[in-house]
Amino acid sequence: MAAQRTAPRVPSGRPHLASLHPGAWWLWAVSLGVAATRTTNPLLLALLISASAYVVATHRSPAPWARSYSAFVRLALAVLLIRVLFAVALGSPIPGTHVLLTLPEVPLPHWAQGIRLGGRVTAEAVVFAAYDGLKLATLLICVGAANALASPTRLLKSLPGALYETGVAVVVALTFAPHLIADVRRLRAARRLRGRPDRGVRGLLQVGLPVLEGALERSVALAAAMEARGYGRTADVPARVRRTTAALTLGGLLGVCAGTYGLLTAAGGAYGLPVLLAGAAAALAGLRLGGRRSLRTRYRPDPWGPRAWLVTGSGAAVAALLTLASVRDPRALHPGVVPLVAPTLPLWPAVAVLLALLPAFAVPREPS
């Protein structure tokens, strides 16, 4: 009896149900960062940090690139500590009556008026610096959450056609970095086995030259392989389309910068959002036109499905509601330090922050 032969299973090309477009994670995290810039209330900032940390804990991939979250947390703590130390050592414009300690003051020349080294350290100045540093730390932790949740390779593959060459360069760099680290470890181990030094200037030169030689050989081989496969081909585009693309992209990026500056400052809250939206629309139109020069197709593209809209919408809702709260109830989102009062947790802004937890329950976990 002849044995039945099973046909090999061909992958369907569709991503796993749990996979989410990496751009959705980045938009969610950036929206939380925008929400963090609208308040200095430490309770709301701690709630934002807790929400992002919970989503990272439940949906972080076991891949090596997902371990960057702890590095961002350490960086955020360092920024917070440095901000407080600067306020202690260099003084603060915030007046205060609760003196914690008095440091020896260094006299400065007349052209350095407004700056002091040492002197009185008040509780009001330290609390103000802590609030300000915690806001920046929260922003860094939100960026770290995006790095831990979104695969950088998949994110670069999702770039528009106008940024294709940049994406290829970054992907190649990310691919070569582990090889360089492995080469360094291998050569250092080989030198230790031979009884030769692997530290210091001499060891660095003896290890660095072979690593550089190997990297150059791999680069030449990769360049030849990419040229043989047709990388770098571009289509003929009329000159007017190129000029329009450049104008839209440059103007859009300038609009995004101006709108972002307006959102981050209290004085520009009225024009920040319209300018940001107009700049983003112009930049996207420019990238769309610029993509005509790139002759390429996408292998297994990441779909932007309902879950991606849900994740993006939850982050955008948090940013919009906290922006509205900062306008309608600024005292709750910016607790005063003169006189020094204990911060309180406003009810509906706290409920708005809890919307950031929606991806933890709406998005299935990645398979381990």
Side-chain angles (χ1 to χ4, degrees):
M1 181 177 181
Q4 294 182 353
R5 179 176 296 178
T6 305
R9 183 180 179 182
V10 179
S12 61
R14 298 179 59 186
H16 192 271
L17 179 64
S19 63
L20 189 73
H21 197 286
W25 285 123
W26 266 100
L27 290 175
W28 171 82
V30 169
S31 299
L32 295 189
V34 172
T37 62
R38 311 314 299 173
T39 179
T40 56
N41 191 319
L43 301 179
L44 288 176
L45 293 175
L47 200 59
L48 278 170
I49 293 174
S50 302
S52 63
Y54 183 78
V55 175
V56 170
T58 55
H59 286 74
R60 181 167 57 177
S61 169
W65 51 262
R67 302 172 186 171
S68 61
Y69 184 73
S70 58
F72 277 90
V73 172
R74 290 193 292 268
L75 178 62
L77 292 176
V79 167
L80 176 59
L81 181 61
I82 291 173
R83 180 65 180 88
V84 174
L85 290 178
F86 273 21
V88 171
L90 303 179
S92 175
I94 302 299
T97 56
H98 300 79
V99 180
L100 297 178
L101 71 157
T102 302
L103 299 176
E105 188 169 354
V106 179
L108 297 176
H110 67 279
W111 51 265
Q113 292 182 359
I115 302 175
R116 68 175 178 85
L117 295 176
R120 295 191 313 160
V121 179
T122 61
E124 289 83 355
V126 172
V127 171
F128 177 79
Y131 287 173
D132 195 37
L134 184 59
K135 179 171 68 174
L136 182 56
T138 306
L139 182 60
L140 289 173
I141 290 176
C142 291
V143 175
N147 281 274
L149 293 169
S151 169
T153 305
R154 288 176 54 201
L155 181 64
L156 291 170
K157 289 180 179 179
S158 303
L159 289 176
L163 302 178
Y164 169 63
E165 289 83 2
T166 304
V168 170
V170 176
V171 168
V172 170
L174 292 175
T175 305
F176 269 44
H179 292 291
L180 294 177
I181 297 174
D183 287 348
V184 171
R185 292 177 177 175
R186 177 176 54 83
L187 290 171
R188 291 184 63 184
R191 290 184 63 83
R192 284 196 299 268
L193 290 175
R194 294 181 176 93
R196 298 176 181 177
D198 62 326
R199 298 181 183 276
V201 178
R202 183 179 178 184
L204 180 62
L205 292 176
Q206 295 295 328
V207 172
L209 291 178
V211 170
L212 180 61
E213 182 182 359
L216 291 176
E217 290 179 355
R218 280 194 298 268
S219 300
V220 172
L222 179 62
M226 293 176 67
E227 184 178 2
R229 288 169 173 82
Y231 279 87
R233 294 178 300 172
T234 57
D236 293 331
V237 178
R240 58 183 181 84
V241 175
R242 291 198 300 268
R243 289 192 294 267
T244 305
T245 301
L248 285 174
T249 305
L250 181 59
L253 292 179
L254 291 176
V256 168
C257 294
T260 304
Y261 176 79
L263 289 176
L264 296 179
T265 57
Y271 70 85
L273 185 59
V275 173
L276 176 62
L277 294 178
L284 290 176
L287 293 177
R288 182 75 175 180
L289 286 176
R292 296 182 178 181
R293 297 181 64 248
S294 178
L295 300 174
R296 69 188 185 107
T297 57
R298 296 182 186 272
Y299 177 66
R300 293 185 181 180
D302 286 311
W304 188 280
R307 288 190 176 90
W309 285 112
L310 184 62
V311 170
T312 305
S314 65
V318 175
L321 290 175
L322 281 192
T323 302
L324 179 62
S326 66
V327 176
R328 300 186 61 178
D329 193 6
R331 290 187 177 181
L333 269 68
H334 300 277
V337 295
V338 180
L340 193 60
V341 295
T344 59
L345 184 64
L347 180 59
W348 73 269
V351 175
V353 172
L354 293 179
L355 292 176
L357 292 172
L358 191 59
F361 306 99
V363 178
R365 298 185 181 183
E366 291 281 354
S368 57

